[in-house]
Amino acid sequence: MSECPRHTAPEPVFAEPWHAQVFAVTVALNEAGLFDWPDWAARFSATLKRNGLDRELNGGDDYFTAWLETLEALLTEQGSTATGDISHLRDKWEEAYLTTPHGQPVRLTKG
Amino acid sequence: MPHDDHDHPHALLPPDPALRVKALETILTRKGLIDPAALDEIIDTYQNKIGPQNGARVVAKAWTDPDFKAALLKDATSVVADLGYYGRQGEHMVVVANTPEQHNMVVCTLCSCYPWPLLGIPPGWYKSDAYRARAVREPRKVLAEFGVTLPETSSVRVWDSTAEVRYLVLPMRPSGTDGLTEDELAALVTRDSMIGTGLPKVPS
């Protein structure tokens, strides 16, 4: 019997670096006791369900976008982050990327 | 290889969600809630150390040791912990054995619960809406798309994982593997065969 080649090609564990980062942040916060995993799974399931209402989600970017949305909402609700802080720092990071010469490490200036 | 530096005078801008993740990391690190080194360690663990090879060892052992198999089916969590496979998302694992009469298949209809200590991080298709919805509704059709055709006499049972209980399928040992060692057997056990969307490889 031969296997279906479509499913045997090696796949990376995380398709994008940011998928791995948001996964690791969540696991670290869970281990630090900020939330328990069943609570996380319930919130994440609700986000997936909501996002999947108007279109079918793939298991890659769509999945981790829902993951990130859930984490942002949870941390904001808990008071660990504020929505304004996230967008402020997001813009700071964008600026850092746009002003760092190619090949140099991108760092955030305090702010 | 051509180098496209001239197209990118500045560092390549990551996509929006990546910038949001970086923002979160910055905030949480400054608050002392996370440690960037610990994040690297978590990613390294799941990228390089934990994966389906763990589950394959458990399956190969169950194929060669009837006592181990009986104990595994009774209380998988503690039996695999004895082999060193425990930790995150492995608090309660249940192993379900395929038989000629019943084929087992695992899904998480709500999100993507999965036995991380035995299989690592789930593949993209396991997390897709398509698989999560269709595995329960039309399992035989989904199996056929994975190249698995079961005899008419075999039923299909679909197990829905939750944050509390995670399932692993114990596939049937392929015929023609009588003289093989545990290592050789483990090499036949694919990730998909332990999710139930595949069958073990057959020795060539």
Side-chain angles (χ1 to χ4, degrees), chain B residues 170-189:
Chain B
L170 175 60
M172 284 190 286
R173 179 169 172 166
S175 53
T177 57
D178 283 355
L180 299 190
T181 64
E182 227 176 274
D183 281 351
E184 289 165 333
L185 288 170
L188 302 176
V189 183

Side-chain angles (χ1 to χ4, degrees), chain B residues 89-106:
Chain B
Q89 311 306 311
E91 290 84 355
H92 192 175
M93 292 184 278
V94 171
V95 173
V96 289
N98 285 348
T99 64
E101 294 78 36
Q102 179 175 300
H103 180 87
N104 298 288
M105 187 174 159
V106 181

Side-chain angles (χ1 to χ4, degrees), chain A residues 6-7 11 21 23-24 27 31 37-38 45 57 59 63 72 80 86 89-90 93 97-98 100 102 111, chain B residues 5 8-12 16 20 25-27 30-31 43 88-89 112 116 121 124 127 129 145 164 191:
Chain A
R6 188 159 59 93
H7 295 291
E11 313 158 32
Q21 290 298 131
F23 167 82
V27 167
E31 287 179 357
W37 203 264
S45 303
L57 307 181
Y63 177 86
E72 286 175 343
S80 303
I86 300 174
L89 277 162
R90 180 229 169 271
W93 272 109
Y97 274 93
L98 294 177
T100 304
H102 185 76
Chain B
D5 258 358
H8 303 292
H10 54 74
L12 191 66
D16 174 68
R20 280 158 58 199
E25 274 186 63
T26 306
I27 295 167
R30 285 179 184 173
K31 290 194 169 193
I43 294 170
R88 303 172 184 124
Q89 311 306 311
S112 53
W116 292 1
I121 301 301
K127 300 178 286 198
D129 275 4
E145 287 164 22
E164 281 85 21
R191 176 194 65 204

Side-chain angles (χ1 to χ4, degrees), chain A residues 3 8, chain B residues 52-61 63-64 171 174 177 180-194 199-204:
Chain A
E3 280 190 294
T8 54
Chain B
Q53 69 275 15
N54 294 4
R57 298 222 66 83
V58 172
V59 168
K61 199 168 167 60
W63 282 348
T64 53
T177 57
L180 299 190
T181 64
E182 227 176 274
D183 281 351
E184 289 165 333
L185 288 170
L188 302 176
V189 183
T190 61
R191 176 194 65 204
D192 291 3
S193 74
M194 294 181 279
L199 298 174
K201 290 184 236 173
V202 174
S204 39

Side-chain angles (χ1 to χ4, degrees), chain A residues 9-103:
Chain A
E11 313 158 32
V13 174
F14 298 105
E16 299 286 339
W18 73 266
H19 297 175
Q21 290 298 131
V22 74
F23 167 82
V25 168
T26 310
V27 167
L29 292 173
N30 166 238
E31 287 179 357
L34 265 76
F35 48 83
D36 66 23
W37 203 264
D39 179 33
W40 164 261
R43 287 165 182 267
F44 180 45
S45 303
T47 312
L48 284 173
K49 195 169 176 188
R50 206 166 48 240
N51 292 4
L53 289 180
D54 48 358
R55 68 198 178 96
E56 194 162 272
L57 307 181
N58 67 36
D61 257 13
D62 289 347
Y63 177 86
F64 281 103
T65 301
W67 184 298
L68 175 59
E69 270 176 51
T70 310
L71 185 62
E72 286 175 343
L74 173 57
L75 292 174
T76 303
E77 188 185 311
Q78 287 190 338
S80 303
T81 55
T83 318
D85 290 353
I86 300 174
S87 55
H88 172 70
L89 277 162
R90 180 229 169 271
D91 294 347
K92 289 294 234 184
W93 272 109
E94 176 167 356
E95 189 190 319
Y97 274 93
L98 294 177
T99 53
T100 304
H102 185 76

Side-chain angles (χ1 to χ4, degrees), chain B residues 19-74:
Chain B
L19 292 170
R20 280 158 58 199
V21 175
K22 290 193 92 59
L24 270 186
E25 274 186 63
T26 306
I27 295 167
L28 296 166
T29 304
R30 285 179 184 173
K31 290 194 169 193
L33 291 169
I34 54 170
D35 166 12
L39 300 186
D40 292 343
E41 197 276 328
I42 290 168
I43 294 170
D44 177 54
T45 299
Y46 288 98
Q47 254 166 1
N48 304 313
K49 295 175 188 155
I50 295 184
Q53 69 275 15
N54 294 4
R57 298 222 66 83
V58 172
V59 168
K61 199 168 167 60
W63 282 348
T64 53
D65 180 344
D67 290 342
F68 177 83
K69 180 180 170 181
L72 182 70
L73 295 177
K74 206 168 155 202

